[in-house]
Amino acid sequence: MARTVWDSSVGKKTVMAVSGLIMLLYLVVHMIGNLKIFFGAGEFNHYAHWLRTVGEPFMHYEWTLWLIRIVLVVAAIAHAVSAYQLSRRDIRARPSKYVHKKPRATYATRTMRWGGIILGLFIVWHILDLTTGTVHSGGFQEGHPYQNVVDTFSTWYGDTIYIVAMLALGLHVRHGFWSAAQTLGAGSRSRDRALKTVANVLALLLTAGFIAVPVGVMTGVVS
Ligand code: HEM
């Protein structure tokens, strides 16, 4: 049964929609959490510490955080694998026999593919930068995310990587939210306008909220 669903295009699109919505929920929470940087180092670092102790005493140190990490990794892999398989299917289904020029994918399809690749690379960079500190520009300090964030956004390449990724994120969420709603059957003639508005507002708020942090550091509001 599960195999049949996974093998169908509708099944893969459903996996994409559900995993995308899980990641979107995480992003809304992450964006709101990041805005605490405007209230100073004490509050931001305290929030990062809370992320590790949430659920105690029932949960051990970092258990909840690891649970969230596992859900996110599973969602990201499911999202990427189904996207890849759907796009292979799409290419195979093209009538290419008598066509000399390769038919071009639509603007939305190309934006989603490139946006997805940019975001995948960004997430790897971002974790190596601010979670493990492997590629961090300054001296990475465990437990002091405020200073780590300020260090990252004090370099031109840190600002560039993040701002480009946030713009890609906005475009990806804008189209992705709309597609997910259609796949999950929420679309209808009367609701489509409202769904488009929600997708646009969500994309705009996420992009603006995330970009506010590097802009805050660049302008000296956060230092
Ligand atoms: C300006 C934008 C962003 C800032 C300032 C920021 C900041 C941070 C910081 C400080 C951490 C480490 C948290 C800690 O160790 O306590 C983190 C982790 C993370 N961020 Fe971001 N983030 C931003 C955008 C994003 C975006 C757009 C995504 C996804 C597309 C993302 C996904 C993640 C993930 C998956 C983690 C790892 C969480 C973990 O398991 O520790 N972030 N971020």
Side-chain angles (χ1 to χ4, degrees):
M1 168 68 188
R3 178 90 228 171
T4 323
V5 173
W6 172 246
D7 282 344
S8 72
S9 290
V10 177
K12 288 188 204 298
K13 281 185 182 168
T14 308
V15 169
M16 285 207 77
V18 173
S19 55
L21 289 176
I22 291 172
M23 291 191 283
L24 184 59
L25 180 67
Y26 169 78
L27 282 176
V28 171
V29 175
H30 190 37
M31 188 272 282
I32 296 171
N34 284 348
L35 291 177
K36 291 173 85 67
I37 202 143
F38 291 100
F39 298 102
E43 191 155 334
F44 192 69
N45 291 344
H46 178 65
Y47 159 68
H49 178 71
W50 172 81
L51 284 176
R52 286 153 176 86
T53 55
V54 68
E56 279 184 7
F58 178 68
M59 298 299 256
H60 185 66
Y61 184 74
E62 283 199 349
W63 275 13
T64 311
L65 182 63
W66 274 105
L67 211 65
I68 297 169
R69 285 173 173 164
I70 291 166
V71 170
L72 282 177
V73 168
V74 171
I77 292 174
H79 201 74
V81 169
S82 39
Y84 177 76
Q85 293 184 343
L86 279 168
S87 88
R88 298 302 307 166
R89 235 173 234 198
D90 192 30
I91 291 166
R92 272 202 306 272
R94 280 179 197 160
S96 57
K97 237 179 181 171
Y98 302 104
V99 180
H100 297 296
K101 259 172 77 181
K102 241 168 93 182
R104 283 169 75 84
T106 63
Y107 171 75
T109 308
R110 274 182 290 139
T111 317
M112 290 310 273
R113 276 182 201 160
W114 280 107
I117 292 168
I118 291 172
L119 286 170
L121 292 173
F122 165 75
I123 292 168
V124 173
W125 169 270
H126 181 46
I127 289 173
L128 293 176
D129 177 24
L130 291 175
T131 301
T132 65
T134 323
V135 299
H136 191 66
S137 53
F140 182 79
Q141 297 178 59
E142 183 112 39
H144 294 87
Y146 183 92
Q147 192 53 47
N148 296 333
V149 169
V150 171
D151 288 344
T152 289
F153 295 134
S154 301
T155 65
W156 66 267
Y157 59 87
D159 291 316
T160 311
I161 292 173
Y162 276 80
I163 292 174
V164 168
M166 296 317 114
L167 294 175
L169 177 74
L171 290 175
H172 204 78
V173 165
R174 183 170 176 241
H175 185 75
F177 180 83
W178 161 256
S179 303
Q182 302 303 316
T183 301
L184 299 177
S188 76
R189 229 167 215 268
S190 56
R191 268 196 305 253
D192 278 0
R193 259 178 84 103
L195 279 172
K196 275 212 165 107
T197 308
V198 174
N200 287 342
V201 170
L202 205 57
L204 206 68
L205 282 180
L206 272 179
T207 310
F210 276 127
I211 286 185
V213 182
V215 169
V217 177
M218 282 192 277
T219 53
V221 174
V222 175
S223 60

PDB file of all heavy atoms in Angstrom, residues 1-12 89:
ATOM      1  N   MET A   1       0.848  -1.212   0.000  1.00  0.00           N
ATOM      2  CA  MET A   1       0.000   0.000   0.000  1.00  0.00           C
ATOM      3  C   MET A   1       0.880   1.259   0.000  1.00  0.00           C
ATOM      4  O   MET A   1       0.787   2.089  -0.901  1.00  0.00           O
ATOM      5  CB  MET A   1      -0.930  -0.069   1.231  1.00  0.00           C
ATOM      6  CG  MET A   1      -1.660   1.224   1.552  1.00  0.00           C
ATOM      7  SD  MET A   1      -2.897   1.663   0.313  1.00  0.00           S
ATOM      8  CE  MET A   1      -3.351   3.290   0.848  1.00  0.00           C
ATOM      9  N   ALA A   2       1.779   1.354   1.005  1.00  0.00           N
ATOM     10  CA  ALA A   2       2.665   2.524   1.104  1.00  0.00           C
ATOM     11  C   ALA A   2       3.524   2.632  -0.153  1.00  0.00           C
ATOM     12  O   ALA A   2       3.765   3.722  -0.672  1.00  0.00           O
ATOM     13  CB  ALA A   2       3.537   2.402   2.334  1.00  0.00           C
ATOM     14  N   ARG A   3       3.946   1.478  -0.650  1.00  0.00           N
ATOM     15  CA  ARG A   3       4.800   1.403  -1.848  1.00  0.00           C
ATOM     16  C   ARG A   3       4.041   1.974  -3.059  1.00  0.00           C
ATOM     17  O   ARG A   3       4.580   2.760  -3.831  1.00  0.00           O
ATOM     18  CB  ARG A   3       5.161  -0.077  -2.034  1.00  0.00           C
ATOM     19  CG  ARG A   3       5.994  -0.421  -3.215  1.00  0.00           C
ATOM     20  CD  ARG A   3       7.465  -0.371  -2.922  1.00  0.00           C
ATOM     21  NE  ARG A   3       8.116   0.394  -3.984  1.00  0.00           N
ATOM     22  CZ  ARG A   3       9.366   0.768  -3.948  1.00  0.00           C
ATOM     23  NH1 ARG A   3      10.095   0.523  -2.892  1.00  0.00           N
ATOM     24  NH2 ARG A   3       9.898   1.429  -4.946  1.00  0.00           N
ATOM     25  N   THR A   4       2.759   1.558  -3.204  1.00  0.00           N
ATOM     26  CA  THR A   4       1.955   2.022  -4.336  1.00  0.00           C
ATOM     27  C   THR A   4       1.789   3.536  -4.285  1.00  0.00           C
ATOM     28  O   THR A   4       1.890   4.224  -5.298  1.00  0.00           O
ATOM     29  CB  THR A   4       0.547   1.362  -4.301  1.00  0.00           C
ATOM     30  OG1 THR A   4       0.711   0.032  -3.843  1.00  0.00           O
ATOM     31  CG2 THR A   4      -0.127   1.392  -5.634  1.00  0.00           C
ATOM     32  N   VAL A   5       1.519   4.052  -3.081  1.00  0.00           N
ATOM     33  CA  VAL A   5       1.327   5.499  -2.921  1.00  0.00           C
ATOM     34  C   VAL A   5       2.625   6.218  -3.284  1.00  0.00           C
ATOM     35  O   VAL A   5       2.637   7.193  -4.035  1.00  0.00           O
ATOM     36  CB  VAL A   5       0.884   5.846  -1.468  1.00  0.00           C
ATOM     37  CG1 VAL A   5       0.860   7.353  -1.262  1.00  0.00           C
ATOM     38  CG2 VAL A   5      -0.475   5.250  -1.171  1.00  0.00           C
ATOM     39  N   TRP A   6       3.766   5.726  -2.760  1.00  0.00           N
ATOM     40  CA  TRP A   6       5.061   6.373  -3.004  1.00  0.00           C
ATOM     41  C   TRP A   6       5.411   6.356  -4.485  1.00  0.00           C
ATOM     42  O   TRP A   6       5.973   7.310  -5.023  1.00  0.00           O
ATOM     43  CB  TRP A   6       6.151   5.695  -2.163  1.00  0.00           C
ATOM     44  CG  TRP A   6       7.531   6.168  -2.488  1.00  0.00           C
ATOM     45  CD1 TRP A   6       8.536   5.434  -3.050  1.00  0.00           C
ATOM     46  CD2 TRP A   6       8.068   7.487  -2.311  1.00  0.00           C
ATOM     47  NE1 TRP A   6       9.652   6.208  -3.229  1.00  0.00           N
ATOM     48  CE2 TRP A   6       9.394   7.468  -2.787  1.00  0.00           C
ATOM     49  CE3 TRP A   6       7.547   8.685  -1.806  1.00  0.00           C
ATOM     50  CZ2 TRP A   6      10.221   8.603  -2.761  1.00  0.00           C
ATOM     51  CZ3 TRP A   6       8.372   9.806  -1.786  1.00  0.00           C
ATOM     52  CH2 TRP A   6       9.683   9.761  -2.252  1.00  0.00           C
ATOM     53  N   ASP A   7       5.058   5.235  -5.176  1.00  0.00           N
ATOM     54  CA  ASP A   7       5.395   5.125  -6.599  1.00  0.00           C
ATOM     55  C   ASP A   7       4.573   6.067  -7.475  1.00  0.00           C
ATOM     56  O   ASP A   7       4.970   6.385  -8.589  1.00  0.00           O
ATOM     57  CB  ASP A   7       5.204   3.675  -7.078  1.00  0.00           C
ATOM     58  CG  ASP A   7       6.373   2.804  -6.624  1.00  0.00           C
ATOM     59  OD1 ASP A   7       7.410   3.376  -6.230  1.00  0.00           O
ATOM     60  OD2 ASP A   7       6.240   1.561  -6.651  1.00  0.00           O
ATOM     61  N   SER A   8       3.418   6.508  -6.992  1.00  0.00           N
ATOM     62  CA  SER A   8       2.579   7.376  -7.825  1.00  0.00           C
ATOM     63  C   SER A   8       3.053   8.823  -7.724  1.00  0.00           C
ATOM     64  O   SER A   8       3.627   9.225  -6.723  1.00  0.00           O
ATOM     65  CB  SER A   8       1.124   7.295  -7.356  1.00  0.00           C
ATOM     66  OG  SER A   8       0.986   7.960  -6.123  1.00  0.00           O
ATOM     67  N   SER A   9       2.786   9.587  -8.805  1.00  0.00           N
ATOM     68  CA  SER A   9       3.183  11.002  -8.793  1.00  0.00           C
ATOM     69  C   SER A   9       2.429  11.769  -7.711  1.00  0.00           C
ATOM     70  O   SER A   9       2.985  12.644  -7.053  1.00  0.00           O
ATOM     71  CB  SER A   9       2.900  11.633 -10.153  1.00  0.00           C
ATOM     72  OG  SER A   9       3.803  11.096 -11.089  1.00  0.00           O
ATOM     73  N   VAL A  10       1.150  11.412  -7.534  1.00  0.00           N
ATOM     74  CA  VAL A  10       0.348  12.104  -6.509  1.00  0.00           C
ATOM     75  C   VAL A  10       0.944  11.830  -5.132  1.00  0.00           C
ATOM     76  O   VAL A  10       1.047  12.729  -4.288  1.00  0.00           O
ATOM     77  CB  VAL A  10      -1.126  11.635  -6.564  1.00  0.00           C
ATOM     78  CG1 VAL A  10      -1.937  12.291  -5.464  1.00  0.00           C
ATOM     79  CG2 VAL A  10      -1.728  11.944  -7.918  1.00  0.00           C
ATOM     80  N   GLY A  11       1.380  10.584  -4.910  1.00  0.00           N
ATOM     81  CA  GLY A  11       1.996  10.219  -3.628  1.00  0.00           C
ATOM     82  C   GLY A  11       3.240  11.049  -3.374  1.00  0.00           C
ATOM     83  O   GLY A  11       3.427  11.599  -2.285  1.00  0.00           O
ATOM     84  N   LYS A  12       4.085  11.183  -4.382  1.00  0.00           N
ATOM     85  CA  LYS A  12       5.332  11.953  -4.220  1.00  0.00           C
ATOM     86  C   LYS A  12       5.021  13.435  -3.985  1.00  0.00           C
ATOM     87  O   LYS A  12       5.682  14.100  -3.202  1.00  0.00           O
ATOM     88  CB  LYS A  12       6.218  11.792  -5.462  1.00  0.00           C
ATOM     89  CG  LYS A  12       6.854  10.410  -5.560  1.00  0.00           C
ATOM     90  CD  LYS A  12       7.868  10.368  -6.684  1.00  0.00           C
ATOM     91  CE  LYS A  12       8.092   8.948  -7.195  1.00  0.00           C
ATOM     92  NZ  LYS A  12       8.638   8.044  -6.181  1.00  0.00           N
ATOM     93  N   ARG A  89      10.952  12.039 -13.801  1.00  0.00           N
ATOM     94  CA  ARG A  89       9.746  11.569 -14.463  1.00  0.00           C
ATOM     95  C   ARG A  89       9.284  12.570 -15.525  1.00  0.00           C
ATOM     96  O   ARG A  89       8.908  12.210 -16.635  1.00  0.00           O
ATOM     97  CB  ARG A  89       8.639  11.440 -13.425  1.00  0.00           C
ATOM     98  CG  ARG A  89       8.033  10.074 -13.407  1.00  0.00           C
ATOM     99  CD  ARG A  89       7.083   9.955 -12.283  1.00  0.00           C
ATOM    100  NE  ARG A  89       7.475   8.797 -11.505  1.00  0.00           N
ATOM    101  CZ  ARG A  89       6.678   8.197 -10.652  1.00  0.00           C
ATOM    102  NH1 ARG A  89       5.474   8.657 -10.438  1.00  0.00           N
ATOM    103  NH2 ARG A  89       7.085   7.147 -10.007  1.00  0.00           N
TER     104      ARG A  89
END
